[in-house]
């Protein structure tokens, strides 16, 4: 409920597209990752309680630890373990929760929306749930990774219509999702790096969980 929403008095926020958000059942929200502020902004914008994956060590960071605790967080204890993070994501969706992942895997350094790691695809193959693309605007200017503290900036969260798991898993579907996220974020796409036909067949690094950070 609203009592669980984080309070961010110094940053003004706008929400667009909430009317298309699935009203019930498990949902995987996939968003761009521009700043440490993304989880509280996405979490406070979703019409339902939204959970995130985060490394347990992040809870000890001043200010950010408090922001994490203000939203629903599933902590992944084993630092850097792809298997543990993906298992926690699958468990969350099997329980019917709304889970947000940041498939870029790390905060952008340029403002562009980078390539999506394949962890989300592995989760969708196990739990085929609706996918809501989300674009966060303004948080890169408010708290880019090279700054120690945030500054007041108008931010916005834009939700797109849900895609089915089958649409995302189809050939070209994951890149189409990335294009929609970038469009919603008002951010340019970073050039894609040629890999193979199936990114999920890559190294363990490509399947790393999309944790906050």
């Amino acid at each position: 409920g609203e009592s669980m929403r984080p309070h961010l008095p110094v940053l003004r926020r706008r929400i667009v597209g909430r009317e298309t958000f699935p009203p019930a059942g498990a949902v995987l929200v996939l968003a761009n990752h521009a700043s440490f502020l993304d989880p509280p902004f996405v979490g406070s914008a979703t019409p339902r309680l939204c959970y995130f994956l985060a490394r347990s060590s992040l809870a000890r960071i001043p200010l950010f630890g408090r922001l994490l605790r203000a939203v629903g967080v599933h902590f992944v204890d084993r630092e850097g373990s792809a298997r543990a993070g993906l298992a926690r994501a699958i468990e969350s969706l099997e329980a019917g929760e709304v889970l947000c992942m940041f498939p870029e895997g790390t905060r952008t350094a340029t403002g562009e929306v980078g390539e999506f790691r394949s962890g989300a695809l592995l989760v969708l193959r196990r739990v085929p749930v609706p996918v809501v693309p989300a674009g966060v605007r303004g948080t890169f200017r408010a708290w880019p990774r090279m700054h120690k503290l945030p500054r007041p900036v108008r931010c916005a969260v834009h939700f797109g219509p849900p895609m089915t798991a089958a649409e995302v898993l189809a050939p070209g579907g994951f890149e189409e999702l990335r294009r929609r996220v970038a469009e919603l974020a008002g951010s340019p796409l970073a050039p894609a790096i040629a890999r193979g036909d199936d990114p999920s067949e890559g190294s363990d690094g490509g399947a790393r969980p999309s944790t906050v950070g």
Side-chain angles (χ1 to χ4, degrees), residues 7-13 37 41 63 67 142 149-155:
H7 183 48
L8 300 166
V10 299
L11 296 158
R12 292 168 294 173
R13 184 205 61 196
L37 292 169
F41 271 98
L63 180 63
L67 287 175
L149 292 171
R151 54 190 171 184
V153 170
R154 182 184 294 276
C155 300

Side-chain angles (χ1 to χ4, degrees), residues 13 20-21 49 53 86 90 92 114 131 135 162 179 188 194 198:
R13 184 205 61 196
T20 63
F21 202 94
L49 181 61
L53 300 176
L86 296 175
I90 290 165
S92 173
V131 177
R179 189 194 64 75
D198 185 355

Side-chain angles (χ1 to χ4, degrees), residues 90-162:
I90 290 165
E91 186 180 324
S92 173
L93 293 172
E94 285 179 338
E97 294 176 349
V98 176
L99 177 71
C100 178
M101 297 175 73
F102 299 102
E104 290 167 275
T106 187
R107 288 165 292 150
T108 179
T110 63
E112 295 176 320
V113 177
E115 278 204 277
F116 282 6
R117 293 174 179 266
S118 60
L121 291 177
L122 301 179
V123 170
L124 283 174
R125 285 184 178 133
R126 286 285 301 276
V127 193
V129 301
V131 177
V132 171
V136 189
R137 303 185 179 200
T139 57
F140 182 70
R141 285 181 293 116
W143 199 0
R145 63 186 303 163
M146 62 288 292
H147 288 199
K148 289 187 176 180
L149 292 171
R151 54 190 171 184
V153 170
R154 182 184 294 276
C155 300
V157 180
H158 291 238
F159 294 109

